[in-house]
Amino acid sequence: MHNKYSILLPTYNEVQNLPIIIWLIIKYMDESGFDYEIIVIDDGSPDGTQDAALALQKIYGESKIILRPREKKLGLGTAYIHGIKHATGNFIVIMDADLSHHPKAIPQFIELQQKNNYDLVSGTRYVGDGGVYGWDFKRKLVSRGANFLTQLLLRPGASDLTGSFRLYKKDVLQKLIDNCVSKGYVFQMEMIIRARQLNYTIGEVPITFVDRVYGESKLGGSEIFQFAKALLYLFATT
Ligand code: GDD
Ligand code: MN
């Protein structure tokens, strides 16, 4: 069967990052020779991200760049769900649009998936050469803490639970989404917990997460609270 990779880029105020990330994705995907499309899910960014996306679509073509905007900021979890609905590939790649995830890892994900027929491949910052660059102590502590607590309580069998640079078989991702209760950022963590529960196979590729240069993170105190709530819920129910 012919494989096609739908790369989902959720954006909120990423006007400075979008042209570079798209250029890099196209460079690495064209070099690797895999068939792909890029789906931009912008939530009505006031900074003009959608105008940039439209200009990029004109440059690279409507079959490569697909625009599926939403009216207002509705959260990261539902942005993925929205994007998947429009994906024509049998594989889905999920990544951040702010250059924290380097597109050069996508072909590595694909090769590992093909070698072992994994249901999903997850980028990991916590194994081998993986790491985080540019985060302050507090942010590192939050990420490490969230991973540590989840490992302790749920034993998920994957090393990076809160990361969001992943490759999924599309039908597997759909099944996981149907089983997930959380929205927003916690989504990433719940997905990998559910994957383990449903006996899906998980491959891991070490990645370096580089903190954004342009724009700002949308993760705040309320997301940390949401995460803790979801973790306890999963602990109690799984
Ligand atoms: N469409 C849409 N709607 N996109 C969004 C929204 C939203 O409500 N919120 C965030 N995004 C987009 C951003 O524009 C970016 O491309 C990506 O989602 C990640 O958002 P950031 O705000 O940059 O996240 P972060 O860097 O703080 O957090 C990263 O690390 C976390 C923990 O390791 C992300 O990878 C998270 O997914 C991850 O959980
Ligand atoms: Mn970011």
Side-chain angles (χ1 to χ4, degrees):
M1 186 193 165
H2 172 77
N3 289 326
K4 182 171 180 182
Y5 299 86
S6 299
I7 301 167
L8 305 190
L9 283 182
T11 56
Y12 191 74
N13 287 345
E14 304 291 1
V15 69
Q16 288 163 295
N17 293 312
L18 195 65
I20 313 174
I21 190 77
I22 285 189
W23 186 85
L24 282 168
I25 292 172
I26 288 174
K27 171 179 148 66
Y28 284 96
M29 290 309 284
D30 283 352
E31 270 174 24
S32 67
F34 298 115
D35 188 17
Y36 68 99
E37 65 188 0
I38 301 169
I39 304 177
V40 181
I41 306 115
D42 185 71
D43 275 3
S45 300
D47 74 343
T49 302
Q50 276 181 42
D51 299 330
L54 208 62
L56 289 159
Q57 189 185 46
K58 291 226 172 74
I59 296 170
Y60 297 112
E62 281 178 23
S63 62
K64 278 274 108 78
I65 314 278
I66 293 152
L67 309 181
R68 292 291 176 259
R70 301 189 296 178
E71 212 131 280
K72 57 177 181 63
K73 192 171 187 302
L74 295 169
L76 196 50
T78 59
Y80 293 134
I81 295 170
H82 181 74
I84 292 157
K85 275 191 213 138
H86 302 283
T88 65
N90 57 332
F91 283 91
I92 307 277
V93 174
I94 280 172
M95 67 188 295
D96 295 349
D98 60 353
L99 300 170
S100 287
H101 295 149
H102 200 302
K104 72 180 178 195
I106 302 172
Q108 298 171 10
F109 288 11
I110 295 174
E111 274 150 32
L112 184 68
Q113 191 286 323
Q114 292 188 342
K115 200 167 133 214
N116 300 297
N117 193 25
Y118 284 127
D119 293 311
L120 76 99
V121 173
S122 174
T124 177
R125 298 162 292 182
Y126 298 124
V127 157
D129 298 332
V132 170
Y133 186 85
W135 269 1
D136 60 14
F137 179 71
K138 187 187 154 214
R139 188 69 207 262
K140 280 184 184 156
L141 194 71
V142 167
S143 178
R144 281 276 181 185
N147 269 284
F148 177 77
L149 272 179
T150 312
Q151 294 287 355
L152 194 73
L153 294 180
L154 302 174
R155 311 209 166 275
S159 60
D160 194 338
L161 310 167
T162 52
S164 56
F165 194 4
R166 294 177 187 158
L167 166 70
Y168 294 88
K169 286 179 181 167
K170 188 183 179 182
D171 53 337
V172 167
L173 182 57
Q174 195 54 60
K175 189 88 194 284
L176 287 172
I177 287 170
D178 296 341
N179 278 277
C180 270
V181 292
S182 38
K183 303 274 171 284
Y185 281 81
V186 211
F187 194 71
Q188 316 293 357
M189 183 270 278
E190 188 178 348
M191 295 278 273
I192 215 126
I193 303 296
R194 300 284 177 207
R196 187 43 43 136
Q197 237 178 25
L198 296 166
N199 284 318
Y200 288 129
T201 55
I202 305 170
E204 294 193 310
V205 172
I207 55 154
T208 305
F209 181 102
V210 181
D211 196 25
R212 60 163 75 239
V213 175
Y214 302 115
E216 50 194 49
S217 167
K218 286 96 209 170
L219 192 134
S222 81
E223 277 81 14
I224 295 170
F225 176 71
Q226 294 291 331
F227 185 92
K229 230 175 61 181
L231 180 60
L232 289 175
Y233 172 81
L234 288 169
F235 180 59
T237 56
T238 64

